[in-house]
């Protein structure tokens, strides 16, 4: 399955981020905890530069806590400050502001000593639908940015003032012009970072079942009351899911479209249990490769 989606506004957004990054003190890099490696946009490397960064594992409630701890350890060992949270829960973002205060403590104290009262500015970045705007609204304790459960809701930079002398810059979710790794592209499609309108939803669901049927077959089996096992062909599993849910068309034909939408929606809303799509070794290998290329 070949997936590509890079609308023109994303290229513009990346240029605007490049222009304003010099105005901020630190970066808040939001990733979906279900696909933390796939959410790492290679285009951000040049934009971030040496700015202090905080990796926020958002939607942490949708993954296993012990497994997430391993991922956090990897990023911390790579030199990042790390926070995990569920930005839909009230006051969940307090850990982020505390981390930012700790990270920028030298600058905050220096400004205070000089009697300078200027806000600490944080730029929030991430792929579409990772929860950036929801996170900012959580920090603000009320709705100040536009949010949605699909890719491409935020289209322009939005400065938001919050308590504690902080300002946040919400940026549009951005991808990159081409995906070199098909697995990354699929993972981004699974979590909703790529518009469903540009995808073949039936093929996407087939690929999803195929990718999950070994590591997370029990999740599928429990949700859809499967009688087959993980050794079954992917199409057999897909068929059984649709039949068990009575997704049929006229003539008793299987309604794959309805089944596909249900499977993807069930995953996105956490009904399939706690799942991390990425392989933790991918992050280690990617950063090692980047280090060697310098």
């Amino acid at each position: 399955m070949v997936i590509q989606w890079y609308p023109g506004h994303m290229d513009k957004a990346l240029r605007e981020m490049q222009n304003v990054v010099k105005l901020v003190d630190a970066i808040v890099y939001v990733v979906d905890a279900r696909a933390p490696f796939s959410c790492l946009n290679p285009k951000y490397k040049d934009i971030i530069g040496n700015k202090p960064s905080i990796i926020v594992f958002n939607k942490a409630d949708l993954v296993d806590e012990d497994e997430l701890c391993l991922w956090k350890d990897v990023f911390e060992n790579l030199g990042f400050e790390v926070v995990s949270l569920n930005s839909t829960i009230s006051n969940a973002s307090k850990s982020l502001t505390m981390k930012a205060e700790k990270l920028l403590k030298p600058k905050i104290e220096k400004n205070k000593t000089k009697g300078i009262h200027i806000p600490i500015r944080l730029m929030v970045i991430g792929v579409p639908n990772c929860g950036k705007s929801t996170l900012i609204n959580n920090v603000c304790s009320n709705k100040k940015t536009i949010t949605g459960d699909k890719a491409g809701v935020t289209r322009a930079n939005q400065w938001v003032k919050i308590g504690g002398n902080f300002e946040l810059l919400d940026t549009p979710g951005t991808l990159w012009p081409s995906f070199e790794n098909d697995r990354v592209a699929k993972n981004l499609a699974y979590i909703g970072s790529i518009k469903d309108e540009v995808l073949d939803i039936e093929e996407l669901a087939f690929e999803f079942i195929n990718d999950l049927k070994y590591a997370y077959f029990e999740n599928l089996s429990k949700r859809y009351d499967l009688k087959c096992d993980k050794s079954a062909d992917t199409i057999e599993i897909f068929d059984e899911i649709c039949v068990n849910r009575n997704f049929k068309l006229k003539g008793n034909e299987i309604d794959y479209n309805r089944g596909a939408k249900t499977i993807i929606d069930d995953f996105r809303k956490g009904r399939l249990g706690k799942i991390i799509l990425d392989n933790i070794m991918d992050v280690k290998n990617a950063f090692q490769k980047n280090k060697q290329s310098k």
Side-chain angles (χ1 to χ4, degrees), residues 36 42 45 73 78 86 124 146-147 157 186 234 243 258 269:
K45 288 188 297 184
D73 286 345
L78 290 168
N86 171 11
V124 186
I146 302 171
T147 64
N157 292 344
K186 287 191 294 182
T234 302
V243 169
R258 188 179 174 191
K269 293 180 178 177

Side-chain angles (χ1 to χ4, degrees), residues 15-265:
R15 291 197 303 270
E16 290 178 349
M17 288 164 62
Q18 184 77 61
N19 291 332
V20 300
V21 70
K22 60 181 175 291
L23 303 176
V24 304
D25 301 294
I27 305 296
V28 177
Y29 198 151
V30 184
V31 299
D32 188 315
R34 296 169 298 176
F37 173 71
S38 296
C39 287
L40 298 179
N41 186 339
K43 284 289 184 178
Y44 288 157
K45 288 188 297 184
D46 295 333
I47 294 175
I48 293 174
N50 295 320
K51 288 281 181 181
S53 299
I54 303 171
I55 299 288
V56 177
F57 285 82
N58 196 17
K59 308 182 184 182
D61 57 309
L62 299 178
V63 301
D64 180 78
E65 186 175 350
D66 291 337
E67 193 172 357
L68 180 57
C69 284
L70 297 177
W71 277 92
K72 290 168 66 177
D73 286 345
V74 169
F75 277 87
E76 286 174 347
N77 289 334
L78 290 168
F80 292 100
E81 295 290 336
V82 178
V83 171
S84 62
L85 50 81
N86 171 11
S87 59
T88 64
I89 296 178
S90 179
N91 295 321
S93 59
K94 187 175 181 181
S95 58
L96 171 60
T97 53
M98 290 174 63
K99 183 73 71 172
E101 288 174 346
K102 178 182 177 182
L103 180 65
L104 297 170
K105 185 176 180 180
K107 180 164 187 173
I108 294 172
E109 291 185 342
K110 183 178 180 180
N111 288 345
K112 188 175 181 180
T113 300
K114 292 183 176 182
I116 300 174
H117 301 287
I118 57 175
I120 297 298
R121 290 182 161 181
L122 309 174
M123 184 164 72
V124 186
I125 63 175
V127 299
N129 204 38
C130 65
K132 300 185 310 303
S133 297
T134 303
L135 173 63
I136 291 175
N137 288 336
N138 190 294
V139 175
C140 298
S141 300
N142 56 19
K143 190 171 183 179
K144 292 195 177 183
T145 64
I146 302 171
T147 64
D149 60 356
K150 60 182 180 179
V153 173
T154 302
R155 289 297 188 92
N157 292 344
Q158 301 179 70
W159 280 106
V160 180
K161 291 184 178 181
I162 63 174
N165 201 34
F166 278 99
E167 287 186 359
L168 298 180
L169 177 61
D170 186 19
T171 63
T174 47
L175 298 173
W176 43 109
S178 61
F179 297 113
E180 296 180 2
N181 187 322
D182 290 339
R183 183 62 185 268
V184 165
K186 287 191 294 182
N187 288 346
L188 290 172
Y190 299 152
I191 65 175
S193 294
I194 298 173
K195 272 194 172 182
D196 288 339
E197 290 81 357
V198 304
L199 300 167
D200 183 325
I201 194 68
E202 293 177 26
E203 187 176 357
L204 184 69
F206 180 90
E207 294 287 348
F208 178 76
I209 295 169
N210 193 59
D211 287 340
L212 257 67
K213 72 177 185 178
Y214 291 110
Y216 291 101
F217 183 79
E218 290 302 317
N219 298 59
L220 293 171
S221 182
K222 182 178 180 180
R223 177 66 182 172
Y224 302 115
D225 193 27
L226 299 178
K227 298 298 184 288
C228 63
D229 58 33
K230 66 180 68 177
S231 66
D233 290 338
T234 302
I235 191 60
E236 291 181 53
I237 300 173
F238 199 173
D239 285 351
E240 188 174 346
I241 291 173
C242 292
V243 169
N244 288 355
R245 288 301 178 93
N246 199 31
F247 293 153
K248 295 182 180 180
L249 301 167
K250 290 183 179 179
N252 214 35
E253 293 184 7
I254 292 176
D255 189 345
Y256 288 111
N257 188 264
R258 188 179 174 191
K261 289 179 178 179
T262 295
I263 293 165
I264 297 301
D265 190 57

